[in-house]
Amino acid sequence: MKPSIFATSLSLLFAIDIASAARFKVHARPRPRRLSGELARRASIVGNTSVANVGDVQYISDITLGGQKFSVQIDTGSSDLWVVGDVPNAKNTGKTAKVTYAVGEVEGPILEAQLDFAGYTVNDQAFISVSESSENPSGTGLIGLGPNFGSQVSDAISDASGDAVLDRIFVQDTSTPNFITFLLGRNDDPTDPPAGDLTIGEVVPGYEAVTSQPKLPVSVLSSSENVNQHWQILLDADGIVGPAGEDVIKEQDIETAVGTTGNKKQLTVVIDTGFSLPQVPPKVAEAFYKDVPGAKLVNLQAVSGEIWQLPCDKEINVTFKFGAISFPVHPLDTSIDLNLTDSSGHHVCFGAFQPMDAGNDATFDAIFGMAFLRNAYTYINFGDFVENSQTAKADPFVQMLPTTNDTAEAHSDFLKVRGDSPWTPEDDDDEHHTIESYVHEHLALVIGLSVAAGLLILAGVAGLCYRRRRQTTMVTTGFFQRPYQPLHDPAPEAYTMHPMHNGPPVPAGRPSTGYNPSYQSPWDARY
């Protein structure tokens, strides 16, 4: 893809010139600020690249065409070579080509000239001659290091001269192993210099362990879609670890938008040195930044879309996994300082992992640009992707070696550059997942305890029912202290029926008058 405006400007200087391999030492220098302040985005890769502002860096290398020197940006996301300026002794093919970007495009006649790059000489290399402009000054250009399938020049030229530069190098010099590696520096790293390497056919000394890392197969698109073929690999199903150590893919229930992927929890990731800001599904960006104190999602013209705005002194640590290998991301790469202020005039930074909607019929889910690639030494083997190769090769693959392994040093770097305002990331689902994990790990015990608890509850209910029934019976009988007296029983002794009154005694033989007592039974007093 066309390099992002917010890339680390690295000058790739020729270090060796040997027949079978080449290595370039990389040094950093700021890229001139772009007046428009907008991102250069490539159409074939949906999403944004980077920002023209302070800290902007790009990865560049010196090449010569027809003996004329050009400083070209290194881009693994595209396949064509184009330059701005006159090329001595160039031949015009009579054809033209256009490379369209999401913002802007380059177009021009296709010329051919002798190319010298990385110690290799390629005769009659086809390239696009682009007119000079404020955005594309004379003496600059871009060299695509991606698969040849997406080359606009190759589509326009019917012979091998239109093939991508690396394809032509690998075909004409079969002694050169058909792989490249790159190690990208960090422009604001206070510990390590912002330097790096690009190699063709050799491994950077000290990083030989990359060849023992898992081989990550490149996802090969069908012939009907191969114009969109890039260096794309699968992220692990649990391959995104958030600031609180949470499994982001699981907790956010994220699934791939690529219909041909077997495991829907594995996201397809494009490896692209032309993007500054990695593009990720919106739920991933939200999981990284939403809980940071003061963070909010904003629409920023400088990045041509939505991005998370946050305080510059909040350290955010995330990790990605490929082939069960963890790749911690340096906290200086998880957020970026664009030297911007908010509406209140406060200095703010932005989340480097920018939300991107892959859309329908997607061939990838995310683009891992410079902010991720600075944390991995990357080895790309072209395999059968070499156009017009006469010998069969293995399938293309990628190997990566983590480089941000000293988390204490990374933390110290962040404090030196951004300052310290501590915060504690919290996983909203920690308690839920702890209980869930315990249930899964002790399922038999949980079932046994549940059955026992159920039996105890049933026994308790039965006991309460029995007790209540007994109490009801006692209330019915205890009110009279004994059962009812049967009606056929004789009156108790000394209890003969006689009238009762409270008046004066009545003389014998004289009837009572004015007083009519009522009778009561011997049991009346018991009421």
Side-chain angles (χ1 to χ4, degrees):
M1 76 165 283
K2 188 175 181 179
S4 71
I5 310 182
F6 198 80
T8 303
S9 164
L10 302 178
S11 168
L12 299 172
L13 304 179
F14 297 110
I16 353 183
D17 182 1
I18 57 177
S20 60
R23 174 186 170 200
F24 307 91
K25 196 65 183 174
V26 179
H27 301 283
R29 77 179 181 204
R31 172 177 176 145
R33 183 175 299 185
R34 189 171 167 186
L35 297 177
S36 68
E38 294 185 348
L39 296 178
R41 299 189 299 166
R42 205 172 81 238
S44 56
I45 297 283
V46 179
N48 301 329
T49 59
S50 67
V51 186
N53 221 305
V54 295
D56 176 22
V57 233
Q58 63 183 347
Y59 297 90
I60 62 173
S61 173
D62 288 338
I63 67 169
T64 62
L65 275 171
Q68 179 65 42
K69 179 181 174 181
F70 294 90
S71 293
V72 295
Q73 185 171 346
I74 300 298
D75 181 22
T76 61
S78 66
S79 309
D80 289 307
L81 169 65
W82 57 264
V83 296
V84 181
D86 293 331
V87 176
N89 304 313
K91 296 182 297 183
N92 195 327
T93 65
K95 299 181 182 298
T96 62
K98 177 193 293 186
V99 181
T100 303
Y101 299 86
V103 175
E105 61 189 19
V106 295
E107 181 179 14
I110 300 176
L111 309 181
E112 293 179 353
Q114 178 178 296
L115 167 69
D116 289 286
F117 171 61
Y120 296 94
T121 297
V122 180
N123 293 320
D124 299 325
Q125 174 63 50
F127 63 95
I128 303 174
S129 178
V130 175
S131 298
E132 182 178 356
S133 67
S134 59
E135 293 187 358
N136 298 313
S138 181
T140 64
L142 179 147
I143 184 168
L145 304 181
N148 192 65
F149 300 112
S151 170
Q152 302 301 310
V153 172
S154 181
D155 285 347
I157 301 294
S158 58
D159 57 48
S161 66
D163 290 344
V165 171
L166 288 178
D167 281 37
R168 298 204 59 195
I169 289 174
F170 293 144
V171 168
Q172 77 175 21
D173 189 345
T174 56
S175 66
T176 301
N178 60 337
F179 70 83
I180 63 171
T181 79
F182 52 87
L183 180 68
L184 306 183
R186 187 172 296 105
N187 197 39
D188 54 356
D189 193 323
T191 303
D192 301 314
D197 292 273
L198 169 69
T199 72
I200 299 176
E202 77 165 50
V203 174
V204 175
Y207 291 87
E208 291 82 3
V210 70
T211 59
S212 62
Q213 297 301 296
K215 292 183 178 181
L216 308 171
V218 172
S219 300
V220 180
L221 303 182
S222 65
S223 57
S224 62
E225 295 179 314
N226 64 10
V227 67
N228 293 318
Q229 183 69 61
H230 300 283
W231 300 122
Q232 49 204 67
I233 55 180
L234 291 177
L235 192 66
D236 290 358
D238 61 346
I240 305 179
V241 182
E246 75 276 22
D247 181 342
V248 173
I249 293 177
K250 180 179 180 181
E251 288 198 5
Q252 300 297 324
D253 194 24
I254 297 171
E255 292 190 349
T256 179
V258 180
T260 55
T261 304
N263 185 344
K264 295 305 178 183
K265 293 298 181 181
Q266 285 193 274
L267 305 185
T268 297
V269 173
V270 171
I271 302 299
D272 191 344
T273 61
F275 267 83
S276 274
L277 307 181
Q279 308 291 288
V280 296
K283 286 185 178 180
V284 174
E286 181 179 345
F288 285 178
Y289 304 116
K290 70 179 178 64
D291 292 329
V292 176
K296 61 180 180 179
L297 188 64
V298 299
N299 216 306
L300 189 65
Q301 182 181 2
V303 298
S304 302
E306 290 186 327
I307 193 169
W308 282 89
Q309 174 184 300
L310 49 133
C312 292
D313 55 2
K314 299 297 184 184
E315 181 177 343
I316 303 163
N317 292 287
V318 301
T319 298
F320 295 93
K321 296 180 185 177
F322 290 93
I325 303 298
S326 293
F327 292 82
V329 177
H330 197 293
L332 289 173
D333 290 326
T334 55
S335 66
I336 56 174
D337 185 354
L338 306 182
N339 196 31
L340 296 177
T341 58
D342 62 13
S343 57
S344 301
H346 298 127
H347 183 204
V348 292
C349 287
F350 298 88
F353 290 83
Q354 187 177 10
M356 175 199 77
D357 187 357
N360 299 324
D361 302 320
T363 57
F364 58 87
D365 299 290
I367 305 170
F368 277 17
M370 303 173 194
F372 169 79
L373 294 174
R374 284 192 283 266
N375 299 276
Y377 175 49
T378 305
Y379 173 115
I380 299 178
N381 191 297
F382 279 56
D384 285 329
F385 275 8
V386 178
E387 195 80 5
N388 297 314
S389 175
Q390 301 301 310
T391 58
K393 306 285 185 181
D395 292 332
F397 62 87
V398 174
Q399 291 174 291
M400 295 190 294
L401 183 69
T403 57
T404 306
N405 300 310
D406 190 338
T407 54
E409 180 183 290
H411 171 69
S412 176
D413 290 344
F414 184 85
L415 297 185
K416 292 175 183 176
V417 176
R418 302 281 186 82
D420 184 19
S421 180
W423 68 290
T424 302
E426 294 182 359
D427 182 1
D428 294 338
D429 291 334
D430 271 349
E431 182 178 349
H432 167 74
H433 285 292
T434 298
I435 296 174
E436 184 182 75
S437 299
Y438 184 88
V439 170
H440 283 297
E441 293 173 8
H442 304 87
L443 188 58
L445 176 61
V446 171
I447 292 174
L449 291 175
S450 300
V451 171
L455 292 175
L456 286 174
I457 292 172
L458 289 175
V461 171
L464 288 173
C465 292
Y466 174 76
R467 185 178 179 184
R468 177 171 292 183
R469 185 173 180 182
R470 185 174 180 186
Q471 286 178 338
T472 302
T473 303
M474 290 182 66
V475 167
T476 305
T477 60
F479 183 76
F480 297 100
Q481 302 302 317
R482 63 175 181 170
Y484 285 107
Q485 183 75 23
L487 292 178
H488 57 78
D489 284 359
E493 188 177 354
Y495 282 101
T496 55
M497 306 289 279
H498 60 277
M500 300 185 67
H501 62 88
N502 294 323
V506 180
R510 184 178 173 182
S512 63
T513 59
Y515 179 70
N516 185 19
S518 62
Y519 289 92
Q520 70 180 30
S521 75
W523 292 280
D524 284 346
R526 304 191 183 183
Y527 291 89

